[in-house]
């Protein structure tokens, strides 16, 4: 999920009304059916300074998460919404405002697309668990962020970023799987348990590869041993991803996370770790704002020489991601964040 595209992710689901696994083209297990609360969620899930994050916003993001995984997934979703609030507050402090005409145009464009698909706007809002005012507020937040990025991402800054990070834009690619875990509570002990669990998982996957190699005939050649090890590691890792990963796209992660250029939509810590690995090598535990990851790279593709003008749009995209990370890093230590303990069933 791109940093500020929370609404767009919900929109994509609502417009297609198709499970994620159906788009992977593989025979992995489909995700559980959508689970909708019997009654609208009420109350405040957290408070960031003076801004309340309603429980309804959290439940909106968890609507397709299996009940058995909601506790850990809720923590990751709440953290995402907290960061979103911090960014909004930062822009408010700078008095960055969205242009009303721009917001109107964005809303009208989405509504027109809904109608072209022979759907009703009212049904869309109901499916998204949003009022029209909440829907517009999300679009306004995106427009406000885009305006801030446009002001900050001058050609001079983008060129400088490009020159300092050419390897991120030369077309090099990796295919990677990952397991995402998140602490169920916001404390050091819970985080330590997640890290220990991922370290144990890594050990189990490596042992599966060694066991497969050990089962080969004594006269097996080096190529056969390496291929057998790699295949066993990938199978074991995929099994663990299906069982343990909290990633919303875990069906994809469990089979093929797809090719991604460095930076791209990945947060910097994840990107750096993934592109530092050789095929069938696992990372150490990597921490990002959504939790802790174990990454397995299965393929690498070299890059090519590229000019700034050809990569400018992607440079701006990555620059915006890094800009958001910097805003959150600056705002979070000074913020007063109060999290309301989840009630049973949430």
């Amino acid at each position: 999920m791109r940093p500020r595209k929370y609404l767009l992710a919900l929109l994509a689901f609502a417009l297609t009304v198709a499970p994620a696994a159906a788009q992977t083209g593989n025979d992995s297990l489909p995700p559980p059916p959508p689970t909708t609360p019997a009654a609208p969620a009420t109350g405040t899930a957290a408070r960031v300074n003076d801004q309340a994050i309603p429980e309804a916003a959290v439940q909106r993001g968890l609507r397709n998460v299996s009940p058995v995984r909601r506790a850990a997934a809720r923590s990751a979703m709440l953290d995402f919404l907290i960061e979103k609030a911090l960014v909004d507050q930062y822009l408010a402090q700078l008095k960055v405002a969205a242009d009303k005409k721009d917001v109107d145009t964005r809303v009208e464009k989405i509504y027109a697309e809904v109608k072209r698909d022979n759907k009703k706007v009212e049904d869309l809002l109901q499916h998204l668990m949003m009022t029209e005012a909440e829907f517009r507020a999300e679009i306004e937040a995106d427009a406000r962020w885009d305006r801030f990025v446009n002001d900050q991402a001058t050609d001079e800054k983008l060129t400088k970023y490009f020159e300092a990070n050419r390897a991120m834009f030369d077309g090099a690619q990796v295919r990677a799987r990952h397991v995402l875990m998140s602490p169920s509570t916001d404390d050091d002990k819970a985080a330590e348990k997640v890290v220990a669990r991922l370290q144990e998982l890594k050990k189990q996957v490596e042992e599966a590869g060694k066991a497969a190699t050990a089962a080969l005939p004594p006269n097996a050649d080096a190529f056969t041993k390496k291929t057998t090890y790699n295949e066993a590691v990938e199978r074991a890792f995929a099994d663990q991803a299906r069982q343990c990963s909290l990633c919303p796209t875990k069906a994809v992660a469990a089979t093929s996370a797809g090719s991604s250029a460095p930076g791209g939509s990945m947060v910097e810590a994840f990107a750096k770790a993934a592109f530092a690995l050789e095929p069938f090598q696992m990372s150490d535990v990597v921490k990002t704002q959504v939790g802790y990851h174990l990454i397995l790279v299965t393929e690498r593709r070299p890059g090519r020489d590229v000019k700034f003008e050809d990569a400018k749009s992607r440079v701006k995209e990555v620059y915006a991601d890094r800009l958001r990370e910097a805003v959150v890093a600056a705002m979070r230590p000074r913020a007063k964040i109060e999290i309301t303990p989840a009630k049973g069933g949430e």
Side-chain angles (χ1 to χ4, degrees), residues 61-74:
L62 298 177
R63 59 179 295 119
N64 298 296
V65 177
S66 169
V68 298
R69 298 190 182 279
R70 280 201 173 193
R74 184 180 189 277

Side-chain angles (χ1 to χ4, degrees), residues 158 169 308-319:
L158 293 180
F169 308 104
F308 170 71
E309 289 302 324
D310 295 330
K312 183 177 178 179
S313 61
R314 196 154 63 82
V315 174
K316 184 177 180 179
E317 183 179 295
V318 177
Y319 183 84

